[in-house]
Amino acid sequence: MRARCVTSFDQNGYENWLFSHRITAEQAREQSMQRIGIAPKFSIIVPLYKTPRMFFIEMADSVINQTYKNWELILVNASPDVTELVELVEEYATKDSRIKVVSLSQNLGITENTNHGIKVATGDYLCFFDHDDVLEPDILFEYASAIDKNRDISLLYCDEDKIFFDGHYGNPTFKPDFSIDMLRDNNYICHLLTVKRSELNRIEPSGPELDGAQDHAMVLKIVELGGRVHHVPRVLYHWRMSESSTAANSDSKPYATEAGIRAVKDHLGRVGLSADVECSHGRAFRYLPTYHVLGNPLVTIVVPTRLDSTMCKSFISMIESTSYSNVEVVFVCPEARLTISDPFGQWLSSGVPVRCVGMDTPFSISSWMNAGAKYAAGDVLLFCHDDVRCESPNWVEIMLGHALRSDVGIVGTMTLSEDNIVQQAGITFVDGEFVNLSAGIYKDSPGYIMYPLTTKNVSVVDGSCMMMRRDVFDEVDGFDEGFVESFSNADICFRVSNRGYGIVYTPEVAMYHRSVTSLGAVGVVRKTPQYYRDKARMYSLWADLLSRGDKYFNRNFSRNPIDAASYRFDNAPSQAQCVV
C-alpha cells in the first residue's frame, strides 16, 4: 500500500486559512480609492455555454465587485436557445456599461468562442475567465499594481483553489514562479491567465484543433516572445468543480490531453528543440517531452570514491547496463589505494574506458570532483557518488537530452532509498535551511499535485547525480573548493543560475542512493565541524539570495523544514507525518 503525506492540497483548515488571508472591507475601500499610475484596462473574456443561472451571477458579480475599476467584461454567449441565460446576460449588460455582449448563433467550441471575444476587446490586457468560476475582489488590483511597477510584464497568473459542490473551498494550488520546464509538463499557470494585448497581437491565434488546450498553447506562444511572466502568489481565483469541469474530473475532456500534446510539440518545434511528446505516464493534462540527443557526445562520469569494492562493483554494473555507449568513467580516489594492481580490471567486462585519478590530499567533495573533471575528455560531465544506481538503462540519454539544451545549465534526478522512499525530488531553501522536497513518500506517489513526478525547474538539485556541459562547468570555474563536505551542489547551482541557465529536475531518472543526500535529509542533523564550516560559508556567500527566498517555492508553504518538504501551507498545525 502506498504511503500518503498530508499536503496543502488536502490539509485540514484550509478554508479558515483562506478567509484569514482575504482583504478586509477596509482594505477593499482603500484599494478602490487608490490611484495606480499606468492604470491598465483589463478585458475579461468569458465564453458562455448553457451556464447555470447562479454560477453566472456569482461569476459576473465577482467582476463587478473588483476594487480596481478599469475593466470591461465581454460575455460571449454561445447558447442562444437558452432563453433564461440570454435574458440574464442582457440584464447585466443594461446595468453596467462596462459589460459587452457577443451573441453567437451556435457553439463554435471554446477556442473559436474565445477568439470572438478577443476581436471586440479594447483592453491593454486580456483576461481569460471561465463562465462558472469566481474571482477574489482584489485580483485586478494586484495585477494592475504589478504592471505599474514593471511595464515589461506580458503575462500574469495567480494561485487558485477549488469551489466544491457544497460551496466550500479547498484543494489550493500554490504555484512556483515561471518555470518553462514545468509549463511543458503541464499548464500549471492556468488561472487567471492575463496577457498583454500587444503581445497577443504578435502570435498566431489557435484554432479548434486546440480546444481544451487553447490557453496552454497561448501561454507557450507568449513566452516564446521573451516577455516577463509575473506570478502573484496569492489565492485570487476559485475554480468551480462541476460534473463537466476538469476541476472535478480530469477525464471529462479526453480530447484536451491530445490537444495539449499538440500544443507542447508545436511549441518545441518553434523554439528549435527536437523531442517526442506523449501523455506522461497516462496522467491527464500531463506531458512528457523526451529530448533527442543530437550527435553522439562523449559523457565523462566523474566519481569520487574510496574504492569500496561493493559500491564500485555496483556502480560499474550500472555503467555496463547503460544504453548510451559513448561514456567514460573517471574515478577519483586516495592515491594510496592505487597501489592495488588494476583495481577495476576484476570488475569491468565491457569496453567502457575507465581511469583513476589519485589524490594525496584528504577527501574533499569539491576538489575531488574538480580533479576528475580536469582529466575528463567528455564535452558533458556527469558527477555521481559511488553509492548510486539506476534501474533505467536510458538514464544517461534522458539527462543528456536536457543538458544539451542551450538554456539549461545543470540537470538533476530524483533520489530514492533502497526501499523506494523518496529522499528528494528537488531541493529548496526556506529561512536559510535547505529542504529535500517530497522526502518520505513512495516513489510513485503523486505527492503535492504531482510535483515529485513533474519535470520542472528548481533552484538546487542533489549532488549525488548531476549533469552539466563542459562549457558551463568551465564558465563558472567548476566547484568551489572552499566547500569540503556539503553544499557544493547548492553553490554551483546558484552560480550557474546567475549566468542565466536553468536548473532542471527530472523524475524520469530515479537514482537509488545508499546514503543520505549531500545536503542532509529532512530530520537528519549533520554534526561534523566541517559541515558547519561549509554551512557558514554558504551563508556568507549567498546571504542575500537565501534571505529573498526560492522563486520556485511558493511563499504560502510552511517555513518549517519538515512541513515545507511536504508542501503544507503556512501557519497550520503540523501533520507532516506519512500515513498509510
Side-chain angles (χ1 to χ4, degrees), residues 302-373:
V302 178
V303 189
T305 181
R306 293 181 175 85
L307 293 182
D308 176 276
S309 62
T310 301
M311 290 185 179
C312 286
K313 284 180 183 178
S314 176
F315 192 89
I316 288 292
S317 176
M318 177 182 70
I319 299 303
E320 291 186 319
S321 64
T322 297
S323 58
Y324 189 76
S325 60
N326 197 17
V327 298
E328 66 170 7
V329 183
V330 175
F331 285 101
V332 185
C333 55
E335 191 170 55
R337 295 301 304 273
L338 293 182
T339 57
I340 304 173
S341 175
D342 190 16
F344 297 102
Q346 57 184 315
W347 304 323
L348 191 64
S349 59
S350 72
V352 176
V354 174
R355 75 187 74 171
C356 286
V357 176
M359 300 293 289
D360 59 3
T361 57
F363 176 79
S364 165
I365 188 67
S366 297
S367 62
W368 284 35
M369 288 192 293
N370 283 344

Side-chain angles (χ1 to χ4, degrees), residues 229-482:
V229 178
H230 182 79
H231 167 222
V232 179
R234 293 186 56 220
V235 176
L236 299 174
Y237 190 101
H238 307 292
W239 191 0
R240 188 182 302 275
M241 301 177 74
S242 63
E243 292 181 1
S244 61
S245 74
T246 55
N249 179 12
S250 62
D251 294 324
S252 63
K253 299 177 181 179
Y255 62 88
T257 296
E258 290 301 317
I261 292 173
R262 177 194 292 266
V264 174
K265 190 168 183 61
D266 288 350
H267 154 72
L268 293 174
R270 289 192 300 269
V271 299
L273 290 173
S274 178
D276 296 321
V277 182
E278 59 187 327
C279 180
S280 180
H281 304 285
R283 301 188 290 259
F285 311 121
R286 299 275 169 158
Y287 314 108
L288 177 59
T290 301
Y291 296 94
H292 298 157
V293 176
L294 303 180
N296 188 37
L298 175 63
V299 176
T300 299
I301 305 175
V302 178
V303 189
T305 181
R306 293 181 175 85
L307 293 182
D308 176 276
S309 62
T310 301
M311 290 185 179
C312 286
K313 284 180 183 178
S314 176
F315 192 89
I316 288 292
S317 176
M318 177 182 70
I319 299 303
E320 291 186 319
S321 64
T322 297
S323 58
Y324 189 76
S325 60
N326 197 17
V327 298
E328 66 170 7
V329 183
V330 175
F331 285 101
V332 185
C333 55
E335 191 170 55
R337 295 301 304 273
L338 293 182
T339 57
I340 304 173
S341 175
D342 190 16
F344 297 102
Q346 57 184 315
W347 304 323
L348 191 64
S349 59
S350 72
V352 176
V354 174
R355 75 187 74 171
C356 286
V357 176
M359 300 293 289
D360 59 3
T361 57
F363 176 79
S364 165
I365 188 67
S366 297
S367 62
W368 284 35
M369 288 192 293
N370 283 344
K374 188 180 299 183
Y375 286 89
D379 293 324
V380 178
L381 304 175
L382 177 52
F383 298 96
C384 284
H385 292 188
D386 64 355
D387 59 348
V388 299
R389 65 178 177 85
C390 184
E391 296 180 348
S392 302
N394 63 339
W395 65 282
V396 173
E397 290 99 318
I398 293 173
M399 297 183 74
L400 194 54
H402 289 288
L404 292 178
R405 290 164 41 194
S406 62
D407 63 318
V408 171
I410 296 177
V411 183
T413 73
M414 177 186 286
T415 55
L416 305 169
S417 63
E418 292 292 330
D419 54 356
N420 290 315
I421 300 299
V422 173
Q423 290 183 354
Q424 60 80 34
I427 297 172
T428 188
F429 50 92
V430 293
D431 291 348
E433 295 295 329
F434 287 90
V435 174
N436 291 342
L437 293 170
S438 301
I441 66 174
Y442 285 160
K443 70 180 181 72
D444 294 324
S445 170
Y448 180 60
I449 55 175
M450 295 189 182
Y451 273 8
L453 306 178
T454 297
T455 301
K456 57 184 180 288
N457 301 106
V458 293
S459 289
V460 180
V461 292
D462 188 64
S464 63
C465 181
M466 56 192 297
M467 179 184 283
M468 58 197 307
R469 298 191 309 277
R470 160 71 78 175
D471 62 292
V472 176
F473 182 82
D474 290 342
E475 186 176 338
V476 297
D477 297 322
F479 291 94
D480 181 341
E481 297 188 5

Side-chain angles (χ1 to χ4, degrees), residues 27-64:
Q27 289 171 327
R29 283 192 294 271
E30 292 174 358
Q31 286 185 6
S32 64
M33 294 184 292
Q34 186 172 333
R35 296 189 62 182
I36 294 177
I38 191 173
K41 181 179 180 180
F42 295 99
S43 294
I44 305 168
I45 299 172
V46 183
L48 303 172
Y49 183 67
K50 297 183 179 180
T51 310
R53 176 182 178 84
M54 287 310 301
F55 291 178
F56 174 88
I57 291 173
E58 290 182 25
M59 176 277 295
D61 285 351
S62 75
V63 176
I64 293 170

